[in-house]
Amino acid sequence: MLVSNSLLFLLLSQTLFARTFGGSGDDGTYSMALTADGGFLLAGYTAGFGAGNADLMVMKISRLGNLMWAKTIGGPDDDWAYSVIELPDRDIILAGYTRSSGAGGSDLLVARMDSLGNLEWARTFGGPGDERAYSVAPANSGFVVVGYTTSFGSGGADLLILKLSSDGNPEWAKTFGGPGQEWASSVLRASDGSIAAAGYTDSFGDGGADFLIIKLSESGSLGLAMTFGGPNDEWAYSVKETDDGNLALLGYTDGFGSGLADALIAMITPSGTLRWAKSIGGPGNDYAYEAYVRGGTLVILGFTSGFGAGGGDFFAFGMNLSGGLLWARTFGGTAEDQAGSVAITQTGYIALAGSTASFGSGGWDHALLILDAGGNYQDCAYSCAPNIFSAVLFTTQPDGLEDCSLAQGNPTLSVANPMLIFADVCPPAVEEGAIPLRPGISCSPLSGAALFISPEGIPIKIYKADGRLFYSADLKRGENKIGLEAGVYLWKTRNQSGSVVVR
């Protein structure tokens, strides 16, 4: 009897894994996007491959953790990607910066690729100073990019927001700032049609740096500008919209909490009213970088030096929409491990992406970790108990929006196919979701094979992932090594069944 497609999908979707991808040099991930086929796009940089210095790197990973393709994009100087999204037509948009071409210093770099990683176009936007893009999001038509500029604005660095058409042509560009520093780290298109950008300011607010959020219309007019903070520093890395239309701001504070810096989450209404703010952390530094909204839960990813295995670790935790902490986990080794992005897969599992110096093939490597829906991965992700406190944030309403005119370039960038090395950090999940084995029989993956140990002679059938019967015979008593190509297989005996991932 063939295995049903629904059972196959269930078993395939329940695979947990932790993998690194890289080479002998430094490679790292800043952003992740889910793809329509259940896979993952990872975007960041590489210093070990490419055209020179650091190159932008993007890769496609299947839902089972297999590398489908990888590309480097760049020129003779530094080129980095900080954000990636997949469009409805499955094309890919990347945003970051380049020093290889442009108007001077570093310029915003925006590129469009097809679903196979072929470069369709690239654009630079900038002035004589420095410009960088940290986030890109779809808009009603085209997309919007945010970051900072030192070429335009009111002084220092100003928040920069740029609206582009689907073919990469600018529709408008705005700066927001004062005499100090303003950056935008995150952008989204809200359900009310506005564009919301979040970051920080030290020109306005209560003191030090404060959370900054601005909301603009699709045409670029200012609808809202708010700061949230205390006498010390608060810096927002991300903004996410909840199902009820509220906005969650995520970052850090060194003015509230239990340690040096604590993760800070602030929930505000669409009109900018603060509903609550909570700090989460321990004795070291703790940051919240990114979040994914799943119904009534915020799944948040950041960094901790106060918990974990040493150095710095991934810091993942769940919160309800009232600010209650549900669970907290760390992932990492004795060296530094830097989280970048989080997403929830089509089957409810939690995907964490970032960079690791604890594992991999040398230097820093890209890292992708899949936890179950409760944030668990036995012997891979570890529980921790951070403190949680209410934070009393003060608000101001600054005004500093200006038009700016960026020079546009069409750079010629080199595209290459790096030969990445992958490694499993934790043993791949075997027989997830299977009927529990009775005592005396076991199945373990080998390279190009599966090893069955049986207490008796017993018939077995092994199916490929598409449901086709691949192998049918009797297991002998003792060890049985069955050669299998790389992939996922389902096996069934009289009373037991399971799955095995062969590398």
Short mmCIF file of all heavy atoms in Angstrom, two decimals, residues 210-245:
data_model
loop_
_atom_site.label_atom_id
_atom_site.label_comp_id
_atom_site.label_asym_id
_atom_site.label_seq_id
_atom_site.Cartn_x
_atom_site.Cartn_y
_atom_site.Cartn_z
N ASP A 210 16.40 56.93 21.31
CA ASP A 210 15.04 56.43 21.56
C ASP A 210 14.53 55.65 20.35
O ASP A 210 14.97 55.89 19.21
CB ASP A 210 14.08 57.60 21.83
CG ASP A 210 14.11 58.07 23.27
OD1 ASP A 210 15.09 57.74 23.98
OD2 ASP A 210 13.17 58.77 23.68
N PHE A 211 13.61 54.72 20.62
CA PHE A 211 12.86 54.12 19.54
C PHE A 211 12.25 55.24 18.68
O PHE A 211 11.72 56.21 19.21
CB PHE A 211 11.70 53.28 20.08
CG PHE A 211 12.06 51.88 20.52
CD1 PHE A 211 13.36 51.50 20.75
CD2 PHE A 211 11.05 50.94 20.70
CE1 PHE A 211 13.67 50.20 21.15
CE2 PHE A 211 11.34 49.64 21.11
CZ PHE A 211 12.65 49.27 21.34
N LEU A 212 12.28 55.06 17.36
CA LEU A 212 11.64 55.99 16.43
C LEU A 212 10.79 55.20 15.46
O LEU A 212 11.26 54.21 14.88
CB LEU A 212 12.68 56.80 15.66
CG LEU A 212 12.17 57.68 14.52
CD1 LEU A 212 11.28 58.79 15.05
CD2 LEU A 212 13.34 58.27 13.72
N ILE A 213 9.53 55.60 15.30
CA ILE A 213 8.68 55.02 14.26
C ILE A 213 8.02 56.15 13.49
O ILE A 213 7.58 57.16 14.08
CB ILE A 213 7.62 54.06 14.84
CG1 ILE A 213 6.81 53.43 13.70
CG2 ILE A 213 6.72 54.74 15.86
CD1 ILE A 213 5.97 52.25 14.09
N ILE A 214 8.01 56.02 12.17
CA ILE A 214 7.28 56.96 11.33
C ILE A 214 6.36 56.16 10.41
O ILE A 214 6.65 55.01 10.06
CB ILE A 214 8.22 57.86 10.49
CG1 ILE A 214 9.03 57.05 9.48
CG2 ILE A 214 9.13 58.66 11.39
CD1 ILE A 214 9.81 57.92 8.50
N LYS A 215 5.22 56.78 10.09
CA LYS A 215 4.28 56.18 9.15
C LYS A 215 4.04 57.18 8.02
O LYS A 215 3.77 58.36 8.28
CB LYS A 215 2.97 55.82 9.84
CG LYS A 215 3.11 54.71 10.87
CD LYS A 215 1.80 54.40 11.58
CE LYS A 215 0.81 53.71 10.67
NZ LYS A 215 -0.43 53.32 11.40
N LEU A 216 4.16 56.70 6.79
CA LEU A 216 3.96 57.52 5.60
C LEU A 216 2.87 56.90 4.74
O LEU A 216 2.64 55.68 4.79
CB LEU A 216 5.24 57.63 4.77
CG LEU A 216 6.35 58.56 5.25
CD1 LEU A 216 7.07 57.97 6.45
CD2 LEU A 216 7.34 58.84 4.14
N SER A 217 2.23 57.74 3.93
CA SER A 217 1.30 57.23 2.93
C SER A 217 2.08 56.66 1.76
O SER A 217 3.29 56.83 1.65
CB SER A 217 0.38 58.36 2.46
OG SER A 217 1.13 59.30 1.68
N GLU A 218 1.38 55.99 0.86
CA GLU A 218 2.03 55.45 -0.34
C GLU A 218 2.64 56.54 -1.20
O GLU A 218 3.57 56.29 -1.97
CB GLU A 218 1.02 54.64 -1.17
CG GLU A 218 0.69 53.27 -0.59
CD GLU A 218 1.64 52.18 -1.06
OE1 GLU A 218 2.52 52.48 -1.90
OE2 GLU A 218 1.51 51.04 -0.60
N SER A 219 2.13 57.77 -1.07
CA SER A 219 2.67 58.88 -1.85
C SER A 219 3.80 59.60 -1.13
O SER A 219 4.38 60.54 -1.67
CB SER A 219 1.56 59.88 -2.19
OG SER A 219 0.99 60.41 -1.00
N GLY A 220 4.12 59.18 0.13
CA GLY A 220 5.26 59.74 0.83
C GLY A 220 4.94 60.86 1.80
O GLY A 220 5.86 61.49 2.32
N SER A 221 3.66 61.12 2.10
CA SER A 221 3.33 62.16 3.07
C SER A 221 3.36 61.58 4.48
O SER A 221 3.01 60.42 4.70
CB SER A 221 1.96 62.77 2.77
OG SER A 221 0.95 61.76 2.82
N LEU A 222 3.79 62.39 5.44
CA LEU A 222 3.96 61.93 6.81
C LEU A 222 2.63 61.83 7.52
O LEU A 222 1.85 62.78 7.55
CB LEU A 222 4.89 62.89 7.58
CG LEU A 222 5.23 62.50 9.02
CD1 LEU A 222 6.02 61.19 9.04
CD2 LEU A 222 6.02 63.62 9.70
N GLY A 223 2.36 60.68 8.11
CA GLY A 223 1.14 60.48 8.88
C GLY A 223 1.38 60.43 10.37
O GLY A 223 0.52 60.83 11.15
N LEU A 224 2.55 59.92 10.78
CA LEU A 224 2.83 59.76 12.20
C LEU A 224 4.34 59.71 12.41
O LEU A 224 5.07 59.11 11.61
CB LEU A 224 2.22 58.44 12.72
CG LEU A 224 2.51 58.05 14.16
CD1 LEU A 224 1.72 58.93 15.12
CD2 LEU A 224 2.18 56.58 14.40
N ALA A 225 4.81 60.34 13.47
CA ALA A 225 6.20 60.21 13.90
C ALA A 225 6.20 60.22 15.43
O ALA A 225 5.66 61.14 16.05
CB ALA A 225 7.05 61.36 13.37
N MET A 226 6.77 59.17 16.03
CA MET A 226 6.76 59.02 17.47
C MET A 226 8.10 58.49 17.95
O MET A 226 8.75 57.69 17.27
CB MET A 226 5.66 58.04 17.92
CG MET A 226 4.25 58.43 17.54
SD MET A 226 3.57 59.80 18.49
CE MET A 226 3.45 59.07 20.13
N THR A 227 8.51 58.96 19.13
CA THR A 227 9.66 58.35 19.81
C THR A 227 9.17 57.71 21.11
O THR A 227 8.18 58.17 21.72
CB THR A 227 10.74 59.38 20.14
OG1 THR A 227 10.26 60.28 21.15
CG2 THR A 227 11.15 60.17 18.90
N PHE A 228 9.87 56.67 21.54
CA PHE A 228 9.57 55.98 22.79
C PHE A 228 10.89 55.66 23.48
O PHE A 228 11.76 55.03 22.87
CB PHE A 228 8.81 54.66 22.52
CG PHE A 228 7.51 54.84 21.81
CD1 PHE A 228 7.47 54.85 20.42
CD2 PHE A 228 6.33 55.01 22.51
CE1 PHE A 228 6.27 55.01 19.75
CE2 PHE A 228 5.12 55.18 21.84
CZ PHE A 228 5.09 55.18 20.45
N GLY A 229 11.04 56.12 24.72
CA GLY A 229 12.30 55.84 25.39
C GLY A 229 12.37 56.38 26.79
O GLY A 229 11.38 56.88 27.36
N GLY A 230 13.56 56.26 27.37
CA GLY A 230 13.85 56.76 28.70
C GLY A 230 15.12 57.58 28.68
O GLY A 230 15.58 58.02 27.62
N PRO A 231 15.75 57.77 29.83
CA PRO A 231 16.93 58.65 29.89
C PRO A 231 18.17 58.05 29.26
O PRO A 231 19.10 58.80 28.94
CB PRO A 231 17.12 58.86 31.41
CG PRO A 231 16.48 57.67 32.04
CD PRO A 231 15.32 57.33 31.16
N ASN A 232 18.21 56.73 29.08
CA ASN A 232 19.37 56.09 28.45
C ASN A 232 19.04 55.73 27.00
O ASN A 232 18.27 56.42 26.35
CB ASN A 232 19.81 54.88 29.27
CG ASN A 232 20.32 55.26 30.64
OD1 ASN A 232 20.91 56.32 30.82
ND2 ASN A 232 20.08 54.41 31.62
N ASP A 233 19.61 54.65 26.49
CA ASP A 233 19.45 54.31 25.08
C ASP A 233 18.38 53.23 24.85
O ASP A 233 18.36 52.22 25.55
CB ASP A 233 20.77 53.80 24.49
CG ASP A 233 21.79 54.91 24.28
OD1 ASP A 233 21.37 56.08 24.21
OD2 ASP A 233 22.98 54.60 24.16
N GLU A 234 17.54 53.48 23.87
CA GLU A 234 16.60 52.49 23.33
C GLU A 234 16.71 52.52 21.81
O GLU A 234 16.65 53.60 21.21
CB GLU A 234 15.16 52.78 23.76
CG GLU A 234 14.85 52.44 25.21
CD GLU A 234 15.40 53.47 26.18
OE1 GLU A 234 15.40 54.67 25.83
OE2 GLU A 234 15.83 53.07 27.29
N TRP A 235 16.86 51.37 21.21
CA TRP A 235 17.10 51.29 19.78
C TRP A 235 16.21 50.19 19.20
O TRP A 235 16.26 49.05 19.65
CB TRP A 235 18.58 50.97 19.53
CG TRP A 235 19.08 51.12 18.13
CD1 TRP A 235 18.40 50.91 16.97
CD2 TRP A 235 20.39 51.53 17.74
NE1 TRP A 235 19.19 51.15 15.89
CE2 TRP A 235 20.42 51.54 16.33
CE3 TRP A 235 21.55 51.87 18.44
CZ2 TRP A 235 21.58 51.86 15.61
CZ3 TRP A 235 22.68 52.20 17.72
CH2 TRP A 235 22.69 52.21 16.33
N ALA A 236 15.40 50.53 18.20
CA ALA A 236 14.49 49.56 17.57
C ALA A 236 15.14 48.96 16.34
O ALA A 236 15.66 49.68 15.48
CB ALA A 236 13.17 50.22 17.20
N TYR A 237 15.10 47.62 16.26
CA TYR A 237 15.62 46.90 15.11
C TYR A 237 14.52 46.43 14.16
O TYR A 237 14.79 46.12 13.01
CB TYR A 237 16.42 45.68 15.56
CG TYR A 237 17.72 46.00 16.25
CD1 TYR A 237 17.89 45.77 17.61
CD2 TYR A 237 18.79 46.56 15.55
CE1 TYR A 237 19.08 46.06 18.24
CE2 TYR A 237 19.98 46.86 16.18
CZ TYR A 237 20.12 46.61 17.53
OH TYR A 237 21.30 46.91 18.16
N SER A 238 13.29 46.31 14.65
CA SER A 238 12.25 45.71 13.82
C SER A 238 10.88 46.25 14.21
O SER A 238 10.64 46.63 15.36
CB SER A 238 12.27 44.18 13.98
OG SER A 238 11.33 43.56 13.12
N VAL A 239 9.97 46.27 13.24
CA VAL A 239 8.56 46.57 13.48
C VAL A 239 7.73 45.48 12.81
O VAL A 239 8.02 45.08 11.67
CB VAL A 239 8.18 47.97 12.95
CG1 VAL A 239 8.48 48.13 11.46
CG2 VAL A 239 6.70 48.26 13.23
N LYS A 240 6.73 44.97 13.53
CA LYS A 240 5.84 43.94 13.02
C LYS A 240 4.40 44.31 13.35
O LYS A 240 4.12 44.88 14.41
CB LYS A 240 6.16 42.57 13.63
CG LYS A 240 7.53 42.04 13.26
CD LYS A 240 7.64 41.76 11.77
CE LYS A 240 9.04 41.32 11.39
NZ LYS A 240 9.19 41.14 9.94
N GLU A 241 3.49 43.96 12.45
CA GLU A 241 2.07 44.23 12.68
C GLU A 241 1.39 42.97 13.19
O GLU A 241 1.58 41.88 12.65
CB GLU A 241 1.40 44.71 11.40
CG GLU A 241 -0.05 45.14 11.61
CD GLU A 241 -0.69 45.70 10.35
OE1 GLU A 241 -0.39 45.19 9.26
OE2 GLU A 241 -1.50 46.65 10.46
N THR A 242 0.59 43.11 14.24
CA THR A 242 -0.17 41.99 14.77
C THR A 242 -1.50 41.88 14.03
O THR A 242 -1.89 42.77 13.27
CB THR A 242 -0.41 42.17 16.28
OG1 THR A 242 -1.15 43.37 16.51
CG2 THR A 242 0.93 42.25 17.02
N ASP A 243 -2.23 40.81 14.30
CA ASP A 243 -3.48 40.56 13.58
C ASP A 243 -4.53 41.62 13.86
O ASP A 243 -5.45 41.82 13.06
CB ASP A 243 -4.03 39.18 13.95
CG ASP A 243 -3.16 38.05 13.43
OD1 ASP A 243 -2.31 38.32 12.55
OD2 ASP A 243 -3.31 36.90 13.89
N ASP A 244 -4.44 42.30 15.00
CA ASP A 244 -5.42 43.33 15.34
C ASP A 244 -4.99 44.73 14.88
O ASP A 244 -5.61 45.72 15.24
CB ASP A 244 -5.70 43.33 16.84
CG ASP A 244 -4.44 43.50 17.69
OD1 ASP A 244 -3.36 43.74 17.10
OD2 ASP A 244 -4.52 43.36 18.92
N GLY A 245 -3.91 44.81 14.09
CA GLY A 245 -3.48 46.08 13.53
C GLY A 245 -2.52 46.87 14.38
O GLY A 245 -2.05 47.94 13.96
#
